[in-house]
């Protein structure tokens, strides 16, 4: 067994898995604290490295593509302090860090673990139920539904519709983007039948993020949902079947489209739809007419 204990956290390798526990240091990020202990099976590892510095070094764990829903949801955008697969090492523990690296590398060679991508998640994702507040709202997930609640900073056009409840079966994708420079970040859910390119500021299925300390917590919500969606490599046969629309008489379809136009107009007046969203939706209906 190889073990390294640092203020940043503790890593323990027993030959079959690497157990990583975040430290209790006040500088440990809220994301790593909330995520808690992680157990990474040997089969999910692609490699490990150790970089030495003058005062501190850094252990970096590399997972196989597609093994972890957190990495899938964040797409490499997690900053170093929030990355649970990195560990800061004090200079007096460099020898211990190098021993841990050797032990993991030897185990990967002995077990002939491939470094290529996998076709299913090998880590379960964050524990649920889970809730995080940042930016203009709060996102909660219980395993079956995502709940989005707005705060006083939310744009009226988005908050007018009230709290959103999204069924997991209706969610086709989830994305987390951090705020970079003057560009705000977001937690965005793509809902079947309600796809939109509207900015997160106006999208009722998105939380807008402004680059504050708690923003990365939204990445945990994204990861928990991602873990329960079909794996990105899933074949079409493994995806949920699409419902086939029933045949609609031309007259009934025409009346339904007119009603839809009136509904869209009402939603626009009430502020539920922005002018841009209303225009796009109206154009789609008019094309069918």
């Amino acid at each position: 067994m190889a073990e390294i204990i640092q203020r940043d956290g503790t890593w323990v390798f027993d030959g079959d898995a690497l157990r990583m526990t975040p430290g209790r240091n006040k500088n440990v990020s809220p994301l790593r604290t909330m995520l808690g202990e992680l157990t990474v099976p040997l089969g999910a590892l692609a490699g490990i490295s150790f970089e030495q510095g003058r005062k501190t070094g850094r252990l970096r764990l590399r997972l196989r593509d597609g093994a972890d829903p957190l990495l899938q949801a964040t797409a490499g955008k997690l900053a170093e302090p929030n990355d649970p697969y990195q560990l800061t090492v004090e200079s007096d523990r460099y020898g211990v860090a190098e021993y841990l690296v050797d032990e993991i590398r030897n185990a990967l060679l002995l077990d002939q673990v491939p470094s290529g991508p996998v076709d299913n998640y090998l880590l379960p994702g964050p524990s649920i139920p889970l809730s995080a507040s940042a930016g203009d709202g709060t996102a909660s997930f219980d395993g079956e539904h995502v709940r989005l609640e707005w705060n006083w900073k939310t744009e009226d056009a988005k908050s007018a519709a009230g709290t959103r409840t999204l069924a997991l079966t209706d969610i086709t994708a989830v994305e987390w983007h951090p705020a970079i420079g003057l560009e705000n970040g977001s937690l965005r859910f793509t809902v079947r039948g309600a796809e939109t390119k509207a900015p997160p500021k106006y999208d009722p299925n998105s939380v807008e993020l402004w680059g504050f300390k708690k923003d990365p917590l939204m990445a945990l919500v994204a990861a928990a949902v991602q873990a329960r969606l079909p794996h990105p490599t899933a074949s079409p046969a493994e995806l949920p079947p699409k419902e086939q629309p029933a045949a609609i008489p031309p007259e009934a379809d025409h009346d339904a489209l007119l009603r839809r136009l009136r509904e869209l107009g009402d939603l626009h007046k009430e502020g539920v739809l922005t002018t841009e969203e209303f225009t796009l939706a109206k154009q789609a209906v008019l094309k069918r007419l």
Side-chain angles (χ1 to χ4, degrees), residues 164-225:
R164 299 281 290 172
T165 300
L166 310 176
L168 179 64
T169 52
D170 291 333
I171 297 173
T172 59
V174 57
E175 299 173 285
W176 174 83
H177 296 282
I180 300 176
L182 298 177
E183 183 179 347
N184 291 340
S186 65
L187 169 67
R188 185 191 292 271
F189 298 95
T190 301
V191 178
R192 186 179 291 107
E195 294 83 357
T196 178
K197 293 183 180 180
K201 184 176 185 178
Y202 302 110
D203 180 8
N205 296 326
S206 298
V207 177
E208 186 181 32
L209 305 174
W210 300 314
F212 297 136
K213 187 175 182 179
K214 290 187 177 181
D215 281 11
L217 295 180
M218 289 294 184
L220 297 181
V221 178
V225 173

Side-chain angles (χ1 to χ4, degrees), residues 18-39:
L18 177 64
R19 189 173 73 252
M20 301 181 293
T21 306
R24 296 183 178 180
N25 188 297
K26 65 179 181 179
N27 293 324
V28 175
S29 75
L31 181 147
R32 292 178 59 199
T33 300
M34 190 170 176
L35 184 60
E37 183 177 287
L38 279 176
T39 299

Side-chain angles (χ1 to χ4, degrees), residues 13 15 42-43 45-48 101-115:
F13 180 63
L42 183 64
L45 299 180
I48 186 173
V101 169
D102 289 341
E103 288 293 293
I104 291 177
R105 287 177 176 172
N106 290 336
L108 290 171
L109 287 172
L110 288 173
D111 284 31
Q112 296 183 339
V113 177
S115 60

Side-chain angles (χ1 to χ4, degrees), residues 21 28 38 50 63 65 67 72 81 154 188 213 215 232 251 264:
T21 306
V28 175
L38 279 176
F50 176 57
L63 270 63
D65 288 344
Q72 186 69 39
T154 311
R188 185 191 292 271
K213 187 175 182 179
D215 281 11
E251 299 81 8
L264 289 172

Side-chain angles (χ1 to χ4, degrees), residues 275-287:
T275 300
E276 179 185 6
E277 291 173 323
F278 170 70
T279 301
L280 291 173
K282 183 175 70 173
Q283 289 174 349
V285 174
L286 290 175
K287 284 181 181 179

Side-chain angles (χ1 to χ4, degrees), residues 73-90:
T74 55
K77 299 184 180 75
L78 278 178
E80 282 191 357
N82 299 310
D83 188 345
Y85 302 113
Q86 298 189 31
L87 182 71
T88 301
V89 179
E90 301 296 328

